[in-house]
Amino acid sequence: MSMSLSPNLPPDKQREMLRRMLTIRRFEERASADYLAGKIYGVVHCYIGEEAVAVGVCTALDRGDRIISTHRGHGHCIAKGADLNRMMAELYGRQTGYCKGKGGSMHIADFDIGMLGANGIVAGGISIITGAGLAAQMDGRGGVAVAFFGDGASNAGPFHECLNIAATWKLPMIYVCENNLYAANTAAAATHALNDVAARAAGYGIPGIVVDGNDSLAVYQAAIRAVDRARSGGGPTLIECKTYRWRGHTERPGIVDPRDKGEIAAWQHKDPIALLQRQLRDQGDLDDAGLQTIEREVMAALETAVAFAEASPFPLPEQATDDVFAA
């Protein structure tokens, strides 16, 4: 796995990465608590433990670059710059949410920042974002497109079809596999013939990179190389980020998590946020006061988002079919 020996990022940028990772962590903790308290409807899939992937990749992107997410999409939204108020309002089912309170957790999108949406269908976003990669190639403005997906989605047809066409046409794509070792409750070892999803890149003649998905600076380094390749016309890259979700597949109560408790504890000792904090301290770029300031500001922004959501109105029954499209 790659190691973050030289981040090539100024300290303020690294601190911003830490802020976004903390924002994701605290947002997910609050979303879980409010869901279990009956304030949030539908279902919530927490991204806790995987924050370094979304933040590491999105730090390497420009605002106009496009990404697409999965059912576990809050982290990608926040890393790309989505508004916390509108995100929380959507989870609360309010009119001021990104989907006017009708989409919920798994359908947040913000085209203005290049976030083309979360997607409740496994591998469902890979084809959509590959189309965005083709659009970026055709408009000639140097944009790139990034697909986030899990290890389970790497076994689905759209993954292989899209890698094939992106490699053939040299599309400016980055395919980011967040390998958290489980597709819902099924261990990757039970469904993958190879240890590394990245090894599949060889079949399409493109680079396949394995990176420590808990090291945000290592993820950034891998992503910036892939971005440079894509922008220069070199074609797509497959990046596999080895990581782990701390929580069960969903926050729904009563669902038994089949994973070994020792395995979960071992990965919690590899906390991506704690790692970046240590890296910043070792560089002399973060002290206790600075960390406390970041934490305080993150919590204040989150409380503002919750207050915004709670004060917002629910959609009206007569608005049920507004903004709904059918082919």
Side-chain angles (χ1 to χ4, degrees):
M1 293 186 183
S2 301
M3 296 297 292
S4 56
L5 300 177
S6 177
N8 299 319
L9 275 170
D12 61 335
K13 195 73 170 180
Q14 294 181 54
R15 287 191 292 269
E16 179 57 29
M17 290 175 70
L18 176 62
R19 179 188 299 273
R20 293 212 171 183
M21 289 170 67
L22 279 167
T23 300
I24 295 169
R25 177 73 56 89
R26 301 296 176 244
F27 184 96
E28 296 291 58
E29 290 170 347
R30 184 59 181 262
S32 173
D34 286 359
Y35 169 74
L36 294 174
K39 297 179 179 180
I40 289 175
Y41 309 97
V43 68
V44 170
H45 301 79
C46 281
Y47 196 67
I48 295 173
E50 303 182 40
E51 298 91 348
V53 180
V55 172
V57 171
C58 289
T59 299
L61 302 177
D62 293 338
R63 181 182 174 87
D65 294 328
R66 299 179 177 122
I67 70 169
I68 210 158
S69 183
T70 68
H71 55 280
R72 200 177 307 281
H74 305 158
H76 307 125
C77 291
I78 293 170
K80 196 63 169 70
D83 181 81
L84 292 185
N85 291 0
R86 296 184 67 190
M87 285 184 65
M88 192 63 77
E90 186 59 39
L91 266 62
Y92 269 66
R94 306 305 174 99
Q95 287 186 30
T96 53
Y98 268 113
C99 298
K100 299 183 181 179
K102 303 175 191 177
S105 170
M106 292 189 286
H107 301 97
I108 294 173
D110 185 345
F111 291 0
D112 289 341
I113 61 169
M115 173 54 181
L116 300 192
N119 196 308
I121 306 301
V122 174
I126 300 178
S127 300
I128 297 170
I129 198 66
T130 300
L134 175 59
Q137 184 185 69
M138 293 177 70
D139 71 29
R141 290 181 290 196
V144 303
V146 179
F148 289 100
F149 55 94
D151 47 279
S154 72
N155 291 331
F159 167 82
H160 296 279
E161 294 167 2
C162 290
L163 259 67
N164 180 64
I165 199 168
T168 301
W169 292 351
K170 293 190 180 300
L171 299 184
M173 290 293 310
I174 305 170
Y175 295 94
V176 181
C177 178
E178 298 178 308
N179 188 350
N180 61 24
L181 308 185
Y182 291 86
N185 293 326
T186 302
T191 60
H192 291 247
L194 298 173
N195 290 330
D196 298 329
V197 172
R200 296 177 176 181
Y204 303 103
I206 64 174
I209 301 168
V210 178
V211 65
D212 181 352
N214 282 20
D215 185 336
S216 57
L217 299 180
V219 173
Y220 167 79
Q221 288 182 331
I224 202 69
R225 290 194 296 270
V227 167
D228 289 344
R229 169 181 162 84
R231 291 203 204 284
S232 64
T237 300
L238 172 61
I239 301 175
E240 178 183 4
C241 299
K242 303 281 192 180
T243 186
Y244 199 83
R245 55 175 161 80
W246 291 11
R247 309 290 271 266
H249 176 59
T250 75
E251 297 300 289
R252 187 177 288 122
I255 302 298
V256 177
D257 189 340
R259 300 176 301 171
D260 180 76
K261 291 182 179 179
E263 177 184 271
I264 297 172
W267 277 93
Q268 288 175 336
H269 283 298
K270 303 175 185 178
D271 183 350
I273 293 177
L275 174 59
L276 182 54
Q277 288 174 356
R278 288 196 300 270
Q279 290 169 328
L280 284 165
R281 288 181 187 277
D282 291 347
Q283 294 164 198
D285 295 318
L286 183 71
D287 57 18
D288 289 342
L291 179 58
Q292 290 168 6
T293 296
I294 293 173
E295 281 271 16
R296 187 165 55 250
E297 291 172 351
V298 165
M299 292 305 298
L302 186 58
E303 290 301 324
T304 297
V306 171
F308 176 81
E310 291 180 332
S312 298
F314 287 100
L316 300 174
E318 56 266 30
Q319 297 173 323
T321 59
D322 290 353
D323 306 306
V324 176
F325 300 90

